[in-house]
Amino acid sequence: MGFENILTEVRGTGARQTGLITLNRPKQLNALNDALMDELGAALKAFDADAAIGCIVITGSEKAFAAGADIAAMAKFSLTDTYGADFITRNWETIRSVRKPVIAAVAGFALGGGCELAMMCDFIIAADTAKFGQPEIKLGIIPGAGGTQRLPRAVGKAKAMDMVLTSRMMDAAEAERAGLVSRVVPLAELMGVALAAADSINELSGISVMMAKESVNRAFEGTLADGIMFERRLFHTLFATEDQKEGMDAFLNKRKAAFKQR
Ligand code: DAK
């Protein structure tokens, strides 16, 4: 895949591998312009469609995961450019349709759209240098890619309001305490830990992994009763797979499961 604003690699040596996407506009601290978001969407779709890929990792640089949407690109926008042209719905929505797990490996700034992009991933592993924030209010706007919705779900209303209204940043330790990130690791270990997490997912039955992702996401939509029924039906369905037979047989025979992805 030939891109200008991101780098893509395939990592890992197992039967299924990891699609690694590195945001790569270092001079602009990975500010997310339309071209980058189009490329990110194309890379996500390609990895999602590739049967050899089990998991996707998105990362940035040591200084910035992404410092937000590109302010230079937005500065002169009118209502016609935003509402009228349905501003960047196209490429910011792609990640929501990815069925395989997407892990964000975050070092440095994850601000505005950068924080929102990280929150769109299935979980965030942070370096101890990570800083999260929704500073849009300082620009006379509000978060526009899910920040006012995903942040309160992740950290609760008090901290979300504090961040969105005052624009203060949350460091990695606070982000872990608040539940925004799943793990914090020293910067030097960030990619090793994120890729190891991806590798551990790659070894599993991809069908059960996709259903697990779909079911956890369902917890944020609809009622508890609907979510529990949704989970139950997916659970029932997994007994139609060969991988369920293999996983349970391997446990009972004290051996490592060799999933066939069917
Ligand atoms: N956009 C464009 N350029 C940026 C940028 C950004 N968001 N962030 C940084 N840069 C550029 C700087 O302008 C500077 O460029 P030069 O002057 O060198 O040409 C270069 O990156 C280095 O930045 P600094 O010199 O400022 O570096 P510092 O270390 O001093 O400060 C900082 C780092 C991250 C604290 C600072 O750069 C900063 O405050 N950046 C802006 C953060 C911010 O306000 N982010 C929110 C942007 S609004 C939507 C989707 C998404 C969004 C909305 C809607 N839809 C789907 C509808 C998202 C909106 C946003 O994210």
Side-chain angles (χ1 to χ4, degrees):
M1 291 182 252
F3 296 119
E4 290 177 6
N5 301 284
I6 62 171
L7 305 170
T8 58
E9 293 168 69
V10 174
R11 293 287 193 95
T13 51
R16 295 197 314 151
Q17 297 165 304
T18 300
L20 174 61
I21 301 173
T22 305
L23 309 178
N24 190 34
R25 294 185 76 210
K27 285 189 193 139
Q28 296 85 9
L29 305 185
N30 292 331
L32 304 165
N33 64 6
D34 218 17
L36 186 154
M37 291 306 295
D38 274 347
E39 292 181 6
L40 177 62
L44 285 167
K45 277 187 181 164
F47 283 140
D48 204 32
D50 184 343
I53 298 293
C55 194
I56 300 167
V57 174
I58 303 179
T59 195
S61 68
E62 287 193 1
K63 171 137 193 200
F65 177 74
D70 193 323
I71 299 168
M74 288 187 295
K76 294 216 164 65
F77 275 3
S78 66
L79 181 68
T80 315
D81 299 313
T82 54
Y83 183 80
D86 204 7
F87 170 44
I88 53 181
T89 295
R90 175 186 82 249
N91 51 28
W92 280 82
E93 293 287 307
T94 308
I95 191 166
R96 291 181 58 201
S97 65
V98 174
R99 301 179 74 203
K100 292 172 184 170
V102 184
I103 302 171
V106 174
F109 296 110
L111 302 180
C115 185
E116 291 169 308
L117 175 62
M119 290 191 290
M120 287 178 204
C121 297
D122 296 311
F123 61 95
I124 303 172
I125 299 181
D128 49 11
T129 60
K131 285 191 188 321
F132 298 88
Q134 298 286 167
E136 290 89 340
I137 206 82
K138 284 199 294 190
L139 302 170
I141 58 172
I142 66 169
T148 65
Q149 304 305 301
R150 290 195 181 91
L151 192 59
R153 282 168 167 79
V155 304
K157 178 182 167 185
K159 279 186 188 290
M161 279 289 191
D162 185 359
M163 289 171 73
V164 168
L165 296 181
T166 72
S167 78
R168 89 167 169 90
M169 292 184 211
M170 191 181 260
D171 67 18
E174 184 181 4
E176 187 182 29
R177 278 200 307 278
L180 180 59
V181 310
S182 67
R183 322 181 200 180
V184 177
V185 298
L187 175 61
E189 292 170 24
L190 177 66
M191 292 317 295
V193 170
L195 291 167
D199 271 346
S200 71
I201 293 171
N202 290 337
E203 288 180 8
L204 303 171
S205 168
I207 296 200
S208 63
V209 166
M210 285 196 297
M211 285 195 187
K213 166 172 171 161
E214 208 178 350
S215 198
V216 173
N217 279 333
R218 197 66 172 230
F220 298 97
E221 293 156 16
T223 64
L224 178 62
D226 285 345
I228 285 173
M229 185 51 71
F230 182 78
E231 177 194 80
R232 188 148 311 152
R233 292 299 176 238
L234 293 183
F235 176 86
H236 291 158
T237 306
L238 284 166
F239 284 76
T241 65
E242 287 181 32
D243 284 345
Q244 170 270 326
K245 302 287 175 299
E246 168 63 13
M248 293 193 179
D249 185 73
F251 174 81
L252 293 173
N253 289 295
K254 303 191 187 307
R255 62 177 175 81
K256 188 171 169 6
F259 292 114
K260 298 200 177 66
Q261 308 303 333
R262 52 177 184 257

